[in-house]
Amino acid sequence: MLTSSHFTFVFQQPQRASTPCITILGRLNMLGHPRIGLTVAKKHVKQARERNRIKRLTRESFRLHQHFLPAMDFVVIVKRGVADLDNHALTQVLEKLWRRHCRQSHNC
């Protein structure tokens, strides 16, 4: 997702799945395929290399799970403490949240 109107659409009536360090908001779209938007604030993750690592791993996790996800627009919101997770732990958290969204939409 690229424009602020896409993000606003998700923020209006989202389905929420969250952990203490990541929240994924989702809302059904009419495109027939899932899309992703990321928000990784400098306030929560100070170093650019950490923000880039988190975004890279999140995109990769989405790419691997997109064929099982419902046709939704997802916004991944990163909170304080996510930079402390190593790559494996971050991937596990994201997998859990994707599965939760799948169950909420009754498509899995």
Side-chain angles (χ1 to χ4, degrees):
M1 299 187 326
L2 298 174
T3 66
S4 63
S5 62
H6 295 153
F7 282 82
T8 303
F9 173 75
V10 176
F11 290 136
Q12 286 172 352
Q13 295 176 342
Q15 285 183 3
R16 186 178 308 266
S18 64
T19 64
C21 56
I22 296 176
T23 298
I24 299 180
L25 305 176
R27 186 167 177 195
L28 290 172
N29 66 29
M30 297 306 203
L31 301 174
H33 59 85
R35 297 188 303 175
I36 189 171
L38 301 168
T39 60
V40 183
K42 282 184 186 179
K43 177 180 177 181
H44 300 307
V45 183
K46 300 286 186 217
Q47 296 180 337
R49 64 182 173 85
E50 285 296 314
R51 290 192 302 274
N52 292 336
R53 177 183 71 91
I54 292 163
K55 289 188 280 190
R56 185 175 61 249
L57 289 170
T58 303
R59 282 191 212 102
E60 179 67 10
S61 176
F62 176 76
R63 186 186 68 79
L64 293 172
H65 292 88
Q66 67 182 338
H67 301 294
F68 307 108
L69 292 171
M72 295 178 84
D73 290 343
F74 295 101
V75 175
V76 179
I77 302 170
V78 173
K79 302 179 205 169
R80 208 175 298 281
V82 73
D84 299 333
L85 298 176
D86 63 359
N87 290 354
H88 181 69
L90 180 58
T91 304
Q92 293 293 330
V93 168
L94 289 167
E95 272 185 37
K96 182 172 101 176
L97 293 174
W98 295 132
R99 282 195 306 269
R100 201 176 297 164
H101 265 292
C102 238
R103 282 194 309 270
Q104 285 178 354
S105 68
H106 309 293
N107 284 356
C108 294

